[in-house]
Amino acid sequence: MTPPGKTRPAKKAPRPAAAAPPKPSAGKPLRPRRLPRQSRATATVEAILEAAACILETGGFDAYTTNAIAERAGASIGSLYQYFPNKAALTQALIAREDAALLRELGKLLEYPKGIGLLHELVRVAVAQQLRRPLLARLLDAEEARLPPSDETERLHALLAELFQRSLGPALLALEPRLPQDLFAIIRGMVDTAGEMGERDDQALAVRTERAVFGYLASFKVPLR
Amino acid sequence: MTPPGKTRPAKKAPRPAAAAPPKPSAGKPLRPRRLPRQSRATATVEAILEAAACILETGGFDAYTTNAIAERAGASIGSLYQYFPNKAALTQALIAREDAALLRELGKLLEYPKGIGLLHELVRVAVAQQLRRPLLARLLDAEEARLPPSDETERLHALLAELFQRSLGPALLALEPRLPQDLFAIIRGMVDTAGEMGERDDQALAVRTERAVFGYLASFKVPLR
DNA sequence: CAAATTTATGAGCAAATACTCACATCAACT
DNA sequence: AGTTGATGTGAGTATTTGCTCATAAATTTG
């Protein structure tokens, strides 16, 4: 996911529809894509998303083609395009899916009491999330940075800001406004790198990540509450 | 660049040559690609590499096509394929180019006296390098993680290990073998994220990155020399 | 049951892509 | 000047890619 803050513009327009003789019946200029209403439809959508994630993390962007995704999902290419208007939308849905998972986990922390203990929990959640599929997380992060922010992304930023506020209090944040960004960066850097190196021990990694996070905080010589 | 440590396997075979009638003269099964010998040739190669970097960082992997790269470089597609046997080789050359630049800068630090001052310099060099083209750095990092390690990469790892050894001494490293990896991860995470957020002030970022690095070190409660 | 709606299929199309090759141009040398 | 090899060119080729659409199957509804 993207760090809390602003984002960047999009890049490329989708390919225009192929030149074809006008249809006799259709009045709608652009058919709205279908939303899954039956259970098998949502199953198809999930299979497609999972296949996309799988292909991306094992084969990179080169292997990330719509036909390959549909095949891996055990669905037809037509089914894919019934739920995603184009390839970019699929990628965005993938990002939204990962964001939503993190959002869910972080949301639980809102019931946690304020204070520094909250930050410990925050680290653990972030580590666990990013370590689940490290390669996928990295690729999606890079892609997310070049896309307009989705609803999920925005909500995530807001939640993170709130949680940092509750963990650190306003004093520290006034002292260093970029503190959330930096803590986030430290966590992401540590976990991405660990994942890249094949590390799989959440516990050990979480301990070291906390060291880094709290070491950075301690450098401000401000008492944590 | 990749963090110091092991790497991952490659992925895809290049497309086989098009089915064609056997050439009358050629005895060599695969023509070796040309090395630039005249100055204009090296200029072409550099233009192609720069164009590739430019396209990758502004358009992502979608826009990263050989034809587009050649056009942006002001060269013909034929010229591109005279110096790079295929697209993957171009990407590897791009990575090697960035690694070489970092290698050059870090190499200078070998003349620096041992001790903690060296780590300060190391941070500054790494920050400057990664902040020069943050988006490009991130994309290449991600790609490098999925490629077999090049010579440049290996030399870079060796040099980094040596510099960390000189900065920290053996005691700390024995205490936490993953220290180099972690420090590297913190630096990369901070700088990548800052670049993603549009931060451009090397100085301020270097200060915060040092806080993070030395904060992590301080958490070990071992006196630094 | 039938009618209506949702879901799934996959051959196939236009465009794009990686890459080749026969040829033109340039530079260095005698 | 002429020879030689390095360099540059870009139309063209086989393949791939994103995506459509006519049609069929499954499910829900009346």
Side-chain angles (χ1 to χ4, degrees):
Chain A
M1 39 152 303
T2 321
K6 55 186 170 182
T7 32
R8 331 177 100 260
K11 41 141 203 163
K12 197 163 105 182
R15 187 190 313 199
K23 284 169 286 177
S25 62
K28 305 163 193 168
L30 208 63
R31 169 167 34 119
R33 301 298 157 152
R34 194 162 284 167
L35 282 179
R37 296 178 185 282
Q38 302 175 7
S39 66
R40 61 181 176 138
T42 62
T44 300
V45 170
E46 271 165 36
I48 289 171
L49 283 174
E50 181 51 35
C54 192
I55 284 186
L56 192 56
E57 76 185 336
T58 61
F61 279 107
D62 282 4
Y64 187 69
T65 71
T66 51
N67 289 300
I69 292 165
E71 189 179 13
R72 166 79 58 106
S76 69
I77 180 64
S79 288
L80 190 155
Y81 278 96
Q82 225 152 31
Y83 300 105
F84 304 98
N86 51 52
K87 193 184 178 182
L90 211 187
T91 308
Q92 271 183 279
L94 242 193
I95 291 172
R97 180 206 201 206
E98 296 299 308
D99 280 356
L102 183 52
L103 205 51
R104 226 173 14 246
E105 293 301 311
L106 287 179
K108 297 178 187 168
L109 298 185
L110 282 176
E111 304 181 23
Y112 220 83
K114 291 186 181 185
I116 209 62
L118 181 54
L119 192 53
H120 278 97
E121 291 306 310
L122 211 160
V123 170
R124 279 186 198 282
V125 167
V127 166
Q129 162 77 11
Q130 197 89 345
L131 202 56
R132 257 192 17 210
R133 308 180 83 164
L135 247 110
L136 178 64
R138 266 196 84 169
L139 286 171
L140 288 184
D141 277 353
E143 193 63 13
E144 190 173 9
R146 297 186 24 256
L147 255 43
S150 69
D151 283 4
E152 250 75 23
T153 309
E154 308 237 328
R155 258 180 282 163
L156 199 46
H157 289 180
L159 180 54
L160 274 171
E162 171 69 20
L163 289 172
F164 276 121
Q165 185 78 243
R166 291 191 185 198
S167 303
L168 302 170
L172 244 182
L173 288 178
L175 201 66
E176 176 51 74
R178 297 220 186 243
L179 201 58
Q181 170 185 320
D182 288 342
L183 296 183
F184 184 86
I186 290 172
I187 295 172
R188 198 172 64 171
M190 296 262 304
V191 182
D192 281 352
T193 303
E196 204 170 288
M197 311 298 292
E199 231 183 308
R200 288 264 135 225
D201 184 350
D202 287 39
Q203 292 302 322
L205 180 58
V207 168
R208 297 195 338 263
T209 306
E210 287 195 3
R211 283 189 104 99
V213 164
F214 287 94
Y216 183 42
L217 287 176
S219 77
F220 287 97
K221 314 264 188 213
V222 169
L224 305 172
R225 45 170 178 160
Chain B
M1 33 146 310
T2 320
K6 56 187 169 182
T7 31
R8 333 177 99 260
K11 41 143 204 160
K12 196 163 107 182
R15 188 190 309 198
K23 285 169 286 180
S25 62
K28 305 163 193 168
L30 208 62
R31 170 166 36 116
R33 301 297 156 152
R34 197 164 284 167
L35 282 180
R37 297 180 185 280
Q38 301 176 5
S39 66
R40 59 182 178 140
T42 62
T44 300
V45 169
E46 271 165 37
I48 289 172
L49 283 174
E50 180 51 35
C54 193
I55 285 187
L56 191 55
E57 76 186 335
T58 61
F61 279 106
D62 282 3
Y64 187 68
T65 71
T66 50
N67 289 303
I69 292 165
E71 189 180 12
R72 166 80 57 107
S76 70
I77 180 66
S79 289
L80 190 155
Y81 277 95
Q82 227 154 30
Y83 300 105
F84 305 97
N86 52 53
K87 193 184 178 182
L90 210 187
T91 308
Q92 271 183 279
L94 242 193
I95 291 171
R97 181 208 202 204
E98 295 298 307
D99 280 356
L102 182 53
L103 205 50
R104 224 171 20 242
E105 293 301 312
L106 287 179
K108 298 178 188 170
L109 298 185
L110 282 175
E111 304 181 21
Y112 220 83
K114 292 186 181 185
I116 208 63
L118 182 54
L119 192 54
H120 279 97
E121 291 305 310
L122 211 161
V123 170
R124 281 188 197 281
V125 167
V127 166
Q129 162 77 11
Q130 197 90 344
L131 201 55
R132 257 191 17 209
R133 309 182 80 162
L135 246 109
L136 178 65
R138 262 195 88 173
L139 285 171
L140 288 183
D141 278 352
E143 192 63 16
E144 190 174 9
R146 296 186 26 255
L147 256 41
S150 69
D151 284 3
E152 250 74 24
T153 310
E154 308 238 328
R155 258 181 283 162
L156 198 47
H157 290 179
L159 180 55
L160 274 170
E162 170 69 20
L163 289 173
F164 276 121
Q165 184 80 240
R166 291 191 185 197
S167 303
L168 302 170
L172 243 183
L173 288 177
L175 200 67
E176 177 51 76
R178 297 224 185 238
L179 201 57
Q181 170 185 318
D182 287 343
L183 296 183
F184 183 86
I186 290 172
I187 295 172
R188 197 171 66 171
M190 296 264 303
V191 182
D192 280 352
T193 302
E196 204 170 288
M197 310 297 293
E199 231 182 309
R200 288 265 134 225
D201 183 352
D202 288 40
Q203 292 303 322
L205 179 59
V207 167
R208 296 192 342 259
T209 306
E210 286 195 3
R211 282 189 106 99
V213 164
F214 287 94
Y216 184 42
L217 287 175
S219 78
F220 287 97
K221 314 266 188 210
V222 168
L224 305 174
R225 45 167 174 163

